Amino acid sequence: MAPMKRKGGPSKDSNLPSSGAKISPVDGRASKRQRKLEPSEGKATSKKDPKPTVAAVKGIQPSMLKEEEPAFPRGGASVLTPLEHKQIHIEATQDVLFEQRSGKKVQRGPESDEEELGESTSVISREKKLNPKNKNKKALPAAKKEDDGLRIEGLSYKRIVPGSLVLGQVSQINTHDIAIALPNNLTGYVPLTSISDELTKRVEALVEDEDDEESNDEGSVKDRDINLKSYFSIGQYLRAYVSSTSDESSNGTAKGKKRLELSLNPQQANTGLSKDDLVTNSMVQAAVISIEDNGLVMNLGLGDVTLKGFMSSKEVGHGVDHNEIEVGAVFLCLVTGLSPNGNVVKLSADAQKAGNLKKANFLSEAPTVDAFLPGTAVEILVAEVNSSGFAGKVMGLLDVTADLVHSGAGATEKDIGNRFKTGSKIKGRIISTFPTVEPKKLGVSVLDHVLSLSSQRPKGIKERIPLDVLPISTILEEAKVIKVEPGVGLFLDVGVKGVHGFVHISRVVDGKIETLSASTGQHKIGSTHRTRILGYNAMDGLFMASMEEKILNQAFLRIEDIKVGEVVKGKVEKLIINPAGIPDVLINLAEGIIGLVPNIHLADAHLQHPEKKFKEGMLVTARVLSTDPAKRKLRLTLKKSLVNSEGSIWASYEGIVPGSQSPGTLVNILHTGARVQFYGNVNAFLPVSEMSEAYIEDPKQHFRVGQVVNVHTLTIDPDKQKMIVSCKDPSVFGQAQQSALTSLKPGTLVNGTVIEKSNDNVVLELNETKLRAIIVLGQLVDGSDKKCISVMKNIRVGQTMQNLVVLDKSEKKKLVILSNKSSLVEEAKIGKLLTSFEDVKEGETVKGFVDNVRLYEVFLRFAGGLTGLLPKSQLPEDAVRLPDFGMKKHQSISARILSVDHGQRRFLLSLKDSETSEVTPATVKTTNSSPDEVVSNPIDGESSSIHDFTLGKLTKARIVSVKETQLNVHLGDNIQGRIDVSELFDSWEDIKDRKHPLKSFSTKQTLDVRILGIHDARNHRFLPITHRAGRVPVFELSAKPRSTATPDIDILTLDKVKIGSSWIAFVNNVADDYLWLNLSPNIRGRIKAVDISDDLSLLKDLDTNFPVGSALKVHVTNVDVANSRLDLSARSDTSMDTLTFSSLSIGLILPGRVTRVSERQIMVQLSDTVSGPVNLVDLADDYSEADPTIYNKNDIVRVCVTHVNVPNKRISLSTRPSRVLNSSLPVKDPEITGISQIKINDVLRGFVKNVSDKGVFVSLATDVTAYVRVSELSDSFIKDWKSQFQVDQLIKGKIIAVDPFSNHIQMSLKSSIIDKNYIPPINFSDLSVGQVVVGKVRKVEDFGVFIVVDGSANVSGLCHRSEMAEQRVSDVKKLYDEGDVVKAKVLKIEPEKRQISFGLKASYFLNVDSDMADSDEDDTNKMKGIELAGIDSEYEDDTNKMKGIELAGIDSEYEDEDMDGGIDLDNVKDFVEDVDAEDVMSDADRPMASGSFQGTVAGLSTAGFDWTGGLLDEDEKRLDYESDEENADSKSKKKRRRKAEIKVDRTGDLDANGPQSVADFERLLLGQPDSSFLWLSYMAFQLQLSEVGKAREISERAIRTINIREETEKMNVWVALLNLENTYGSDETVEEAFERACQFNDGQEIHERLSSIYIQSGKNEKADELFQSMVKKFSQDPKIWLNYATFLTTTLKSPDRARGLLPRAMQSLPQYAHLDLTSKFAQLEFRSMHGDPERGRTMFEGLLSTFPKRLDLWNVLLDLEMKQGDKEQVRRLFGRITAGQLKSRKAKFFFKRWLQYEEKEGDGGSIDVVKGRAAEYVRQQGAEKVDR
């Protein structure tokens, strides 16, 4: 617990550094605090006593001044910096001012941090304060006695300094760091590089190999990534070293979030430890160096290379496999002993062992006090105890303290003095050090979970952590105060046994609270409050909570609270530009929660100017697209089509079934289709064929990125997260066509009509079924490709084709595949065409076609997708020599069936004669013979040829590698073999390690083996593809003792496996819900997850508990030889094997597997044929906890059978703890098995089952439903009552009728029936004339507003517009909107018509307000609809009243102003909105805003601006009207004053502020009629007022007024008019203004100006049309051609069109303009991002070849090449220039420029080259001069 501040001066223990300790140069706070103590020390020391006190002596020798600052600064300067002088001066001034005002002495210290638990520092044996005025020697003993007292203090951000050591628990594991929970609600972060040296080396190696990783495949890179979750576990205790303390602030002035950087590296975490300090029961932090067979080698970080730590595999902790620990992992270890030489320290990381202090696992003796580090358990002698904790000593010399939390005083009302007696000995654990305190002092904890090094668990729920019971953001309606710590905070009972809550004093109320009292006030002990959970600190064992209203009302506290697909409201934070240069929008949903709206999700239509639509502070409604709490990312959408959609929310692949529909967003469009994004990480592919019923060639022409499309699912694979969707209407393909497609069999002959034809295929419609079919080009005829093309040419659309054979069909694409080959048609007619595997008969000759040609085989295709293999060895010899064996795809082939493999459902074909193609199975020789048949170095020493290895031969093999499921062996150097794990053990007892059976084998070991056959990787589906059969085969071997002992070989086949037989099986593959097991190398079976073990806890992690290669004892439950299926079970009982509906009984408890999860139920599979649902009412004993989404697919759960319906094959299951666990916990919602249990007046809870027009049906049990009539839904009338109830909503009601005979139950949801303390709503009869009520505007009409009274039974009335304000109201809709809160007075009640008339005039509430101000605020809020809504108390006393009209809530800045004027009621609404923006008035006070208000009204202000421009006239009339009420003398005086004001020169105001009204502009235009700037400002002023028409009129006035000689000024106005029409007008108005502008101005300039306007406004098509017109009208101007080319290249991204302009320009322009224009076009290729620099170089080369002496062209090309960045290209260009015939001056220029370029971009060698070339040029020039 953080210590409290003392009332006296600062203690030396906390403020002075240790004399021997080295203080970090970064932290200068120690020396600064010492300077603050000097004045007090001087006062406490008598001048007559020359001997300084102890504090004074220590105050003059801090290490920082010794090491860094001179003793005598040069020139007598101070050692403090000027900034420090200024800070001290400011603090001293504040202290003096505070003492003068309050008479109290200021105590200075670090700022408090409300994120910590608080500060509670206390001093044992305190004495009274020293009197500062007493300067005699008597003050010295008192000061000394106070210094001798020991401060009880805990950690806080202000006391923790770099170098501190703290004990903490791992609370969060992130990608690049881990979070450590520290004492007193502190949290520190450990970066990836501050864990251990071994892990840092691995990180550095990954960084160095980053380039290599990019070239490797994704899998290998992924495997090498560092996952910190494999290094640490949540709740693990570690000792942390504080590396730095800093504020995460965005700038230097803002107060940022405080952050602690920690280190776990043993070198720092063991600071101060030496080899001698490592005694038994001490704690040391160590990192894993290497993993050995029997344990771990550890690095202690003590600097002694000879000293190592060793941890036995039995000491790593319960249930932890030391082989799975990563190198570099860090553990806090208990020293259990040392080796005889002292160089090996025996360690233990078993928290149960280290935390068992009953076995004396605490440090009682140590050579030095440095051995006492955080984490060490000690025995403490209690010295002093007070309410804030206790202090004691360890070994009689080391001071320790336990603060408020870690002494246990915070969580109990009892005095801890009764628990800790002075002089008694107790056990504690060190949790922190205080490096700056001298003498040395440590912080300890006596909390049970810290002593036992375990995580705090709620009592009675040991398997759950506190946050599982009470998650963050939970709101507790009644949290009871159990202890009050004044000045610190409150300790609460939050309803979790054994775990309490804490509310810091800064989080008790929204404002500031000075102190708390345990006996008085609203926060006294025993009081209950509404509280929200903010977090949990594992070290303190406390929930952090808040009672602030702003926190309680906040919708979300963290991203985890937001659900994907939820509709949320927020404010626009700002617009940002993403890396692509496109604006996105940030939406603020709550404090600290900001979501991103990508550009494509800003609106359904593409926004050209998003900044115009989204203003900062604007309220918006959005829907959550995805959340990523780990990265603090939140994506939203503002598309109305998604926000308002009622479609399904696809946030995960689970639950989506084919046919489901949902809207999605197109995020990427390709030629083959588009990618559709939904919610979360759900994506789908939309093929181009499924985009529309019509043919689409290019999807980009019909769809755009960001478009929302409604799709339905075609196929989905949740495991692979792949889904294919369609935009087509699913109802188009009718039921009749679906039935016809299903019944259509391959091999059937059909007729069809050609409806479409292309170069590659023919599309037909089958005559009878209307199904779509296709014939590819190669299936038209049996002949060559030319013949197929010839037949295709003769086919016409509409032609009928007969006798077509069905080859295959695609139900997914709803397409039939046909063939017109005569060979296949004839085979189909006589019934010999192969359509299924059952038709394949060995020896028969069949006809098919080539499907694929590979290097060593050919695949032949038949009907029904049947494929046969034609090996290369079965081809004729002349065909083998031809490319692709002389075959092409779709070529017709007639072949003979050579062999059939029914097990693998494969068959081989042959084109050879039967005499030459027979293969005898007795031989194992390969088909090719080569020198490789000779065996090199046989292991058995006998075999010389590969033919010696025959079936059944006993030989020897040497192991070359040990895999998980097999041993790879060599029979010789060039002969390979494999031994499957199933061929190594005879019995279950022979397997020593059942998880790793092959662990006992090692490489180079020789085994006796027997040959079983040849391993063929193609026919073996369980081995890697790398084991391909080559010239030398891979032999399948057996090393079983039984197999090697007898020569008889009995190869196991599936037909030999019998049901009920037992086997030893080995895991071959692990899936989500089952395992694949091998009984032998060629027999594989499947075992479901529920059948793997009787222990369901093992089934949660199949990969860990049943790794690949592990052994299981199984028995056979089912054998299907035809389908090659084998089902196994490893459970001891066989009940699951025969589980059927008839064998089930009610009450039977069984394990099951979750197969589907929805929001309503979960489906649980009990066996292959039995599955049932667990409905909401059967999920939990408390319906509030019934959440199906906590289950995942393939989870194993325990269920109880509650209902069995054998005839209908339906069952109901339950997961209630009271059912499946025999739980004794209270059942909040009892299980209802029948209607007989329900009685009238029972209050029950249930889930809404259905919402119909007649009422709501509520599910009370699986088969029990209650009916709620509409009249029983609510006490008040609800217009849209259906929107208040959703299916599966939890509601509570009272039973009002039960009919057991008809099974009818009626329920009521009325509060008046359920709630005993119900207060009825206000009725019509409860109102009386003169009564003041509060209500809401229900409807706004021209004649008035309808108001509904709050808290009433829908009682409403009318306020006529004559009763709204004291003055006449011309426009009601400007005053009020629907939903506005108003205060009204009842003026008239007509009971016959049931009509009420209200009044809203401010004068009605003068007396009411004064009466209500005297009433209690709480009572006011509870009145029946009568309240003062939204007026703050600070304004209630200072309400300004002027002429009988109250100005409620106006800021004080308006109180000092003259209140004589008034506001036009037409503009009252605008004024109120302006005030609302400043948080001055509430919505309820809007009708009262019509009071007087006068000030300097700005011309553009919305508060009272006169839109007609007659403001001055109105002021004059108003002043005249007011003066008429006064006497004649005052009237004449006022008139004289007004005339005097008119004579005042206001020109200075206009110059300073500019024109602010219509009159201002008109006055200025009289003096400057030719100023286009003034006219344009006048137009802009009108446009700001949305007066487009007036802006047009002003532009016409300007054109007429400006003198004809002022062409530029007139041009400016014309351009402004064109801009105005382009923005606010239509195409016709723009064209009209354009034609007029061309008549009165230069036509070319007007064309250019309009094109610029079009481009700036994004109207590129208009600009393109205008440019095309310009190049025709003004073709003689090169600038026009260049501008058009630039527009095409840069804006339209059409460089090809731009390049086509150059030849046209050459024909139109004169010869002299060709060179310059060609150069400009070439430059455009370089400068445009869509240009081609290579083309530009070619153009320049053409120019330079024609004009080689034009140095300006060379210069331009040089500049362009330099910008391109190709250094070699630039050097070649410089070389070409300088190699030419240049004059000396030009040569000097280019050589100088070349040298400057090389100095910047080149190196020493390139610079020398330039200098050499220059010297050569000088020599040549000198030689030429000599020759002359």
Side-chain angles (χ1 to χ4, degrees), residues 89 100 124 166 353 422 429 434 517 572 932 1330 1486 1747:
H89 175 72
Q100 290 175 353
I124 305 299
V166 192
K353 182 176 182 179
T422 302
R429 192 173 296 278
F434 301 95
S517 174
V572 175
D932 293 335
R1486 286 188 180 181
F1747 307 99

Side-chain angles (χ1 to χ4, degrees), residues 115 310 953 1694 1739:
E115 297 299 329
F310 180 77
K953 179 180 179 179
S1694 300
M1739 296 174 68

Side-chain angles (χ1 to χ4, degrees), residues 814-874:
K814 301 177 178 58
L815 188 66
V816 180
I817 301 173
L818 305 176
S819 175
N820 194 38
K821 286 179 177 286
S822 57
S823 59
L824 300 181
V825 173
E826 293 300 326
E827 288 285 295
K829 287 181 179 180
I830 62 177
K832 287 189 176 182
L833 182 63
L834 295 183
T835 59
S836 65
F837 189 80
E838 287 70 19
D839 299 335
V840 180
K841 306 296 181 184
E842 189 171 338
E844 288 189 357
T845 301
V846 292
K847 294 183 179 180
F849 58 93
V850 177
D851 185 56
N852 192 13
V853 180
R854 299 176 64 177
L855 187 61
Y856 297 106
E857 62 270 324
V858 178
F859 291 94
L860 299 186
R861 188 79 173 267
F862 305 91
L866 192 63
T867 303
L869 178 66
L870 176 60
K872 179 180 179 181
S873 59
Q874 296 300 323

Side-chain angles (χ1 to χ4, degrees), residues 209-218 221:
D209 297 342
E210 186 177 3
D211 296 336
D212 296 336
E213 288 180 357
E214 292 177 358
S215 61
N216 293 336
D217 58 272
E218 264 183 30
V221 176

Side-chain angles (χ1 to χ4, degrees), residues 1332-1574:
V1332 177
V1333 298
V1334 174
K1336 293 184 178 65
V1337 175
R1338 180 169 60 87
K1339 193 174 183 181
V1340 181
E1341 300 290 351
D1342 293 337
F1343 52 83
V1345 294
F1346 290 93
I1347 302 171
V1348 60
V1349 180
D1350 287 350
S1352 67
N1354 205 29
V1355 177
S1356 63
L1358 172 69
C1359 175
H1360 194 267
R1361 67 179 183 179
S1362 61
E1363 296 295 336
M1364 288 184 178
E1366 308 296 338
Q1367 301 180 18
R1368 181 177 178 273
V1369 176
S1370 59
D1371 190 351
V1372 177
K1373 294 183 179 179
K1374 286 188 176 181
L1375 281 177
Y1376 297 102
D1377 290 326
E1378 291 185 10
D1380 287 351
V1381 179
V1382 296
K1383 180 169 61 178
K1385 185 174 183 179
V1386 179
L1387 302 180
K1388 183 179 180 182
I1389 299 177
E1390 298 184 19
E1392 298 82 6
K1393 300 181 180 180
R1394 297 187 66 83
Q1395 293 180 350
I1396 306 173
S1397 298
F1398 290 113
L1400 298 176
K1401 291 183 179 179
S1403 58
Y1404 290 154
F1405 309 108
L1406 295 179
N1407 296 328
V1408 175
D1409 290 343
S1410 59
D1411 294 340
M1412 295 177 70
D1414 298 333
S1415 64
D1416 186 76
E1417 183 176 315
D1418 295 336
D1419 295 335
T1420 302
N1421 294 333
K1422 297 178 181 178
M1423 293 177 67
K1424 300 177 181 178
I1426 305 171
E1427 61 179 356
L1428 285 174
I1431 301 181
D1432 295 335
S1433 59
E1434 60 180 300
Y1435 298 122
E1436 289 176 4
D1437 298 335
D1438 299 328
T1439 304
N1440 297 319
K1441 298 181 180 179
M1442 200 68 184
K1443 296 183 181 180
I1445 300 176
E1446 181 183 2
L1447 291 177
I1450 304 299
D1451 276 343
S1452 59
E1453 61 179 293
Y1454 298 118
E1455 295 177 2
D1456 299 334
E1457 296 179 6
D1458 186 9
M1459 307 299 291
D1460 293 337
I1463 299 176
D1464 186 3
L1465 283 175
D1466 292 337
N1467 303 307
V1468 168
K1469 181 181 177 183
D1470 296 324
F1471 172 72
V1472 174
E1473 290 176 354
D1474 186 66
V1475 176
D1476 284 344
E1478 301 295 333
D1479 293 330
V1480 175
M1481 289 183 61
S1482 68
D1483 292 340
D1485 297 324
R1486 286 188 180 181
M1488 304 164 64
S1490 58
S1492 301
F1493 179 78
Q1494 180 183 358
T1496 304
V1497 182
L1500 289 176
S1501 174
T1502 58
F1505 176 73
D1506 181 15
W1507 304 89
T1508 61
L1511 179 65
L1512 297 177
D1513 297 334
E1514 279 196 7
D1515 289 343
E1516 185 175 351
K1517 291 178 183 179
R1518 184 169 62 252
L1519 292 173
D1520 290 343
Y1521 175 80
E1522 293 172 353
S1523 62
D1524 289 342
E1525 297 179 356
E1526 301 177 0
N1527 54 47
D1529 295 337
S1530 62
K1531 180 178 180 181
S1532 60
K1533 291 179 181 179
K1534 281 190 176 183
K1535 288 183 178 180
R1536 284 195 297 272
R1537 281 199 302 269
R1538 187 169 67 251
K1539 289 180 180 179
E1541 289 177 359
I1542 292 175
K1543 292 179 181 179
V1544 174
D1545 184 8
R1546 293 182 178 176
T1547 307
D1549 294 339
L1550 285 177
D1551 292 340
N1553 302 322
Q1556 300 294 319
S1557 65
V1558 173
D1560 292 346
F1561 278 106
E1562 295 294 344
R1563 280 199 301 271
L1564 291 175
L1565 286 173
L1566 290 176
Q1568 304 177 41
D1570 294 336
S1571 173
S1572 61
F1573 173 78
L1574 192 55

